[in-house]
Amino acid sequence: MACPPPKGMLPFSTDWFITWLPNVHASLFYNVFRSLRKEQQCERMQAFVTAYRLYSEQVSIDQVEPVLGLTRAWTLVRFFESDLLQLSACTQCSGHFVAHAHSPDHDYVCGICMPPSRAGKTRKRREREAAQLAPVAIDLPAARCAS
Ligand SMILES: [Zn+2]
């Protein structure tokens, strides 16, 4: 595997999408995007706009902070297109989560099933937020291309 670029060289590193809370949000967004592209055959931009709108609606319904901004969401799509990220299936909950490309995932466990052991003050709130989004990340909302 090639060396990752040094930190700070890119506007966002792929690592950001792997960190715990962003990962839940990025996975929710990308699952919707992927389903629009693959199952609905949406055009790329249309799928992006629709997926981002559904993501924004979902976080506002759940009253959680929208961790994934528009620019980051686009960067996420570009990272997938550049083959820097992949979706790995969690062996515990069978949800699909954003992971580094080419990382072995036969025993992958997502951040919701296995929250980080070292956590700061915001842990309780963040756990609650992630728990609210978790079922959504696993059971996708029925997404349709905007016409
Ligand atoms: Zn899981």
Side-chain angles (χ1 to χ4, degrees):
M1 198 170 115
C3 288
K7 286 203 167 99
M9 294 285 287
L10 294 167
F12 308 113
S13 149
T14 51
D15 291 342
W16 187 85
F17 297 102
I18 311 301
T19 51
W20 190 60
L21 188 62
N23 190 256
V24 176
H25 287 250
S27 301
L28 166 62
F29 168 81
Y30 197 77
N31 273 287
V32 176
F33 176 80
R34 189 182 65 146
S35 122
L36 286 167
R37 289 286 279 156
K38 300 252 187 253
E39 283 154 37
Q40 311 268 335
Q41 272 100 45
C42 294
E43 176 271 315
R44 181 169 171 258
M45 257 339 272
Q46 195 180 45
F48 177 76
V49 170
T50 307
Y52 196 79
R53 183 173 53 75
L54 289 170
Y55 163 75
S56 304
E57 283 173 8
Q58 195 57 54
V59 292
S60 85
I61 289 166
D62 290 334
Q63 298 185 311
V64 301
E65 237 178 285
V67 172
L68 189 74
L70 193 66
T71 312
R72 284 204 200 255
W74 183 244
T75 306
L76 177 69
V77 169
R78 298 296 304 276
F79 280 154
F80 268 95
E81 288 173 352
S82 309
D83 201 25
L84 292 168
L85 293 171
Q86 68 183 21
L87 283 178
S88 290
C90 173
T91 52
Q92 309 276 307
C93 68
S94 359
H96 288 81
F97 293 85
V98 176
H100 287 298
H102 315 300
S103 54
D105 59 0
H106 60 277
D107 57 357
Y108 176 79
V109 178
C110 77
I112 296 162
C113 296
M114 196 171 59
S117 49
R118 290 181 304 136
K121 282 188 246 175
T122 56
R123 180 182 164 184
K124 280 275 176 282
R125 182 177 62 84
R126 292 186 148 207
E127 275 184 2
R128 204 168 55 235
E129 290 195 355
Q132 278 175 306
L133 280 180
V136 183
I138 295 156
D139 290 313
L140 301 176
R144 293 277 176 279
C145 297
S147 51

